[in-house]
Amino acid sequence: MDYQTLMEKDFKYLWHPFTQMSDYTSRPPLIIEKGEGIYLIDTQGKRYIDGVSSLWVNIHGHGRPEIDEAIKAQLGKIAHSTMLGIANVPAILLAEKLVEKAPPGLTRVFFSDNGSTAMEIALKMAYQYWVNKGIEGRTRFVSLKNAYHGDTLGAVSVGGIDLFHAVYRPLLFPAYHAPSPYCYRCALGKSYPACALACLDELEKVVEKHKNEVIAIVSESAVQGAAGMIVMPPGYMKGLREIADKYGVLLILDEVAMGFGRTGKMWACEHEEAWPDIMALSKGITNGYLPLAATLVTEEVYSAFLGDYTKTFYHGHSYTGNPLACAAALANLEIFDKDKTLEKMPPKIKLLSQWLEKFKGLKHVGDVRQKGLVAGIELVKDKATKEPYPREEAVGFQVVYKAREKGVVIRPLGDVMVVMPPLVISLEELDRLMRVMYECVKDVTEGG
């Protein structure tokens, strides 16, 4: 089908996520037809570096034959069967593989189909854990401002990004929100490291004040992604675990975005050995092939649900443990071992760091943040005062459209330019990606 016809059908029938459709339909759309390695290929054959891994899901590149073959092999057996009271082979094998690779203590796997549902499950499990233990009054979560845990109502309730969530506030359950560890724009007016992690102290005060109400501390791992790649300062993650232990509450970590090697380790919580009681996974789990998510828990949490039927976890999805998705995930995890993916990352992380140093010299780059092969470049109107650009100027998207002309697909978070390429990206490709981003940021913010 020709491009013009596809565009007309796109504008007539589709409603795109996180997209103001009146803006989207004001310009010719990018319509992707194929993928190859780190490249996206549009309907007219133009190739683009996939600079954000197709929204942070692609790890090993598009069109991996190992995953293709795993799905084809599973199709020859069965595409789907329910997991309500019965099992399937790929789900069993994937659960075993995830536990083998998981942080210490996580021994049980509950499957769903996206990051929001993985977190929704984590919240419900944590609440019912206390109910099943006969401990009353545990009805509140403590989470962070600037947090993003998904778009279902429970996940939004522990989220903290008003741009996304404010309109739904009347529908949400109450939670306690501690200051974000956003060092560039510290809510407490302090500077790291002189602050001695004052934001963590504030979180502890919240937990201490409401310790008999608190179900769990809920946090993303190492980086608050959707808030603009806010990298937590050293010691923060370890502090979350220590506070949870001190007050006898659970720690739920959201590794949906930062899991599967993004930060240079398999799990972001590994950097400080901040082991969770409950961990949510999705995005990179199938290399972007099929929707799948997992919520992992300790044996202590799992055991609280054993006994009579009143302790049953009454939650599930039609596609829980889908065999095709689980087969894809198994093949995806095997590539980590076969290709030694994590072992090859240090030179790429170093190159990214070198480019970020160069970005600091631009007149309208206020801050750069990096964790592994993840980065955020925050654009500001005034570098001295940190004044942001007016939202209506959509500076981040101006950079996006410039980059698209040069064969790079990126997507900003407001005026924070996000770097999150597939881990398989070569040094040469990463260098090209960053050079294009640098040129486009300079062009848009400095007029060439």
Side-chain angles (χ1 to χ4, degrees), residues 53-122:
S53 301
S54 295
L55 205 58
W56 317 352
V57 301
N58 193 276
I59 300 286
H60 301 299
H62 299 280
R64 286 297 300 231
E66 303 94 325
I67 304 177
D68 294 350
E69 291 306 315
I71 293 172
K72 291 175 186 175
Q74 184 57 42
L75 269 174
K77 298 171 183 175
I78 187 169
H80 183 65
S81 64
T82 181
M83 281 192 65
L84 273 66
I86 64 175
N88 69 70
V89 175
I92 293 170
L93 297 179
L94 178 58
E96 177 188 37
K97 192 74 170 178
L98 286 171
V99 169
E100 286 176 0
K101 289 186 174 293
L106 298 176
T107 60
R108 301 285 175 163
V109 180
F110 195 102
F111 287 119
S112 57
D113 50 20
N114 66 74
S116 299
T117 58
M119 281 302 297
E120 202 81 13
I121 287 163

Side-chain angles (χ1 to χ4, degrees), residues 31 52 64 74 116 121 147 213 224 270 326 350 435 448:
I31 303 175
V52 287
R64 286 297 300 231
Q74 184 57 42
S116 299
I121 287 163
E213 296 176 71
Q224 288 190 294
E270 283 186 63
C326 289
K350 182 180 179 181
R435 181 174 289 104

Side-chain angles (χ1 to χ4, degrees), residues 332-350:
N332 182 49
L333 288 175
E334 288 167 2
I335 293 173
F336 274 97
D337 298 328
K338 180 175 68 72
D339 286 5
K340 301 189 183 305
T341 305
L342 299 181
E343 291 87 338
K344 294 177 181 177
M345 286 185 66
K348 302 173 188 180
I349 293 169
K350 182 180 179 181

Side-chain angles (χ1 to χ4, degrees), residues 333-392:
L333 288 175
E334 288 167 2
I335 293 173
F336 274 97
D337 298 328
K338 180 175 68 72
D339 286 5
K340 301 189 183 305
T341 305
L342 299 181
E343 291 87 338
K344 294 177 181 177
M345 286 185 66
K348 302 173 188 180
I349 293 169
K350 182 180 179 181
L351 177 60
L352 176 57
S353 179
Q354 291 169 345
W355 265 107
L356 293 176
E357 282 298 314
K358 188 174 181 180
F359 272 88
K360 288 180 182 179
L362 293 178
K363 295 178 182 178
H364 295 279
V365 171
D367 190 34
V368 298
R369 305 181 279 271
Q370 179 187 11
K371 192 72 173 179
L373 210 55
V374 173
I377 303 162
E378 184 163 346
L379 309 182
V380 293
K381 184 176 182 180
D382 189 307
K383 197 165 185 171
T385 64
K386 304 182 184 180
E387 178 189 356
Y389 283 102
R391 186 182 299 172
E392 60 270 19

Side-chain angles (χ1 to χ4, degrees), residues 106-412:
L106 298 176
T107 60
R108 301 285 175 163
V109 180
F110 195 102
F111 287 119
S112 57
D113 50 20
N114 66 74
S116 299
T117 58
M119 281 302 297
E120 202 81 13
I121 287 163
L123 300 176
K124 290 175 73 175
M125 282 179 172
Y127 168 73
Q128 192 175 341
Y129 166 79
W130 295 109
V131 172
N132 285 359
K133 287 173 71 73
I135 298 174
E136 299 179 353
R138 302 268 186 174
T139 58
R140 296 288 185 270
F141 293 97
V142 175
S143 59
L144 304 180
K145 294 178 181 178
N146 289 322
Y148 178 83
H149 297 291
D151 298 323
T152 51
L153 290 179
V156 172
S157 295
V158 294
I161 301 178
D162 284 343
L163 176 64
F164 300 161
H165 301 149
V167 68
Y168 306 111
R169 200 67 62 196
L171 303 178
L172 308 181
F173 62 70
Y176 298 118
H177 298 276
S180 166
Y182 191 178
C183 294
Y184 179 63
R185 298 184 184 278
C186 179
L188 305 175
K190 298 181 181 293
S191 298
Y192 180 84
C195 65
L197 297 180
C199 54
L200 191 63
D201 293 337
E202 292 300 310
L203 184 143
E204 181 171 1
K205 289 175 185 176
V206 174
V207 176
E208 181 180 27
K209 181 178 179 180
H210 303 286
K211 59 187 176 185
N212 294 323
E213 296 176 71
V214 175
I215 298 166
I217 297 169
V218 183
S219 176
E220 290 158 270
S221 264
V223 181
Q224 288 190 294
M229 299 304 161
I230 297 172
V231 177
M232 297 173 182
Y236 190 89
M237 289 289 295
K238 183 179 180 183
L240 292 179
R241 180 69 266 177
E242 291 172 348
I243 293 169
D245 289 338
K246 182 176 179 179
Y247 296 96
V249 302
L250 299 174
L251 176 62
I252 299 173
L253 291 184
D254 179 346
E255 290 255 0
V256 169
M258 297 302 147
F260 298 102
R262 290 291 180 190
T263 65
K265 294 184 180 292
M266 193 65 174
W267 316 115
C269 62
E270 283 186 63
H271 290 279
E272 297 189 6
E273 297 186 351
W275 310 132
D277 300 292
I278 303 176
M279 182 171 79
L281 304 174
S282 190
K283 287 198 182 288
I285 194 169
T286 69
N287 197 50
Y289 270 70
L290 288 163
L292 184 68
T295 305
L296 280 64
V297 305
T298 62
E299 201 69 12
E300 162 67 20
V301 171
Y302 171 79
S303 296
F305 290 79
L306 301 179
D308 62 42
Y309 280 96
T310 63
K311 292 187 174 183
T312 301
F313 186 52
Y314 287 110
H315 184 106
H317 302 269
S318 299
Y319 289 96
T320 293
N322 171 260
L324 288 178
C326 289
L330 273 166
N332 182 49
L333 288 175
E334 288 167 2
I335 293 173
F336 274 97
D337 298 328
K338 180 175 68 72
D339 286 5
K340 301 189 183 305
T341 305
L342 299 181
E343 291 87 338
K344 294 177 181 177
M345 286 185 66
K348 302 173 188 180
I349 293 169
K350 182 180 179 181
L351 177 60
L352 176 57
S353 179
Q354 291 169 345
W355 265 107
L356 293 176
E357 282 298 314
K358 188 174 181 180
F359 272 88
K360 288 180 182 179
L362 293 178
K363 295 178 182 178
H364 295 279
V365 171
D367 190 34
V368 298
R369 305 181 279 271
Q370 179 187 11
K371 192 72 173 179
L373 210 55
V374 173
I377 303 162
E378 184 163 346
L379 309 182
V380 293
K381 184 176 182 180
D382 189 307
K383 197 165 185 171
T385 64
K386 304 182 184 180
E387 178 189 356
Y389 283 102
R391 186 182 299 172
E392 60 270 19
E393 291 187 19
V395 171
F397 276 103
Q398 290 184 48
V399 175
V400 165
Y401 299 135
K402 286 274 186 185
R404 193 176 294 177
E405 293 171 7
K406 296 177 182 246
V408 166
V409 167
I410 50 176
R411 183 175 174 85

